[in-house]
Amino acid sequence: MAAMLAQRQTAFAGTRVAPKAPVLAAARSRQAVQTKALFGFGGAKAPAGAAASTQFMICIDCGYIYDGAQEFKSLPGSYKCPVCSSPKSRFKLYKGSDVKGKPNNAPATMKKRKDAKQW
């Protein structure tokens, strides 16, 4: 065992070791950390009395407007458009004003919405 240690010490005898960085005083080495809103955390919150307005999401491939009971953001990433099977990433916020209550997803209406490109 002693022979192995002596062998290792001679093998590394010519190598240089980097000097250790100087230790600064704790007060000088720490800087104030500023946090920023990331993914909606820490952002401005809606007032307590304000009701959430209904936002419709439209499939930009076929014009289908999501009309489910569950909020669109909470749907799984594997959600697909029931009409054209486009992934969830192909849905955009619908900026049209013709939807009141439950959206009309008739084929002719969907085609008009798609052609209008209001997203």
Side-chain angles (χ1 to χ4, degrees):
M1 182 84 146
M4 288 175 61
L5 286 175
Q7 204 174 26
R8 283 187 184 168
Q9 287 175 351
T10 56
F12 294 109
T15 60
R16 293 186 180 177
V17 179
K20 291 185 178 181
V23 179
L24 299 176
R28 291 189 316 174
S29 65
R30 293 186 182 162
Q31 297 175 355
V33 177
Q34 293 181 350
T35 58
K36 297 188 180 193
L38 179 65
F39 301 112
F41 298 112
K45 299 189 189 280
S53 63
T54 305
Q55 293 184 341
F56 295 103
M57 300 299 284
I58 183 171
C59 175
I60 62 174
D61 294 328
C62 69
Y64 172 81
I65 291 184
Y66 174 72
D67 60 351
Q70 190 176 3
E71 186 179 349
F72 189 79
K73 288 181 182 181
S74 63
L75 292 173
S78 61
Y79 175 79
K80 301 224 182 266
C81 176
V83 177
C84 67
S85 299
S86 293
K88 183 179 176 183
S89 61
R90 298 293 291 169
F91 280 79
K92 304 293 180 204
L93 183 63
Y94 182 59
K95 296 180 182 172
S97 61
D98 61 334
V99 179
K100 291 175 180 63
K102 193 164 176 105
N104 179 7
N105 282 322
T109 309
M110 288 173 33
K111 183 172 179 356
K112 286 180 187 175
R113 273 192 228 122
K114 182 181 177 243
D115 294 340
K117 295 184 180 182
Q118 294 179 332
W119 52 82

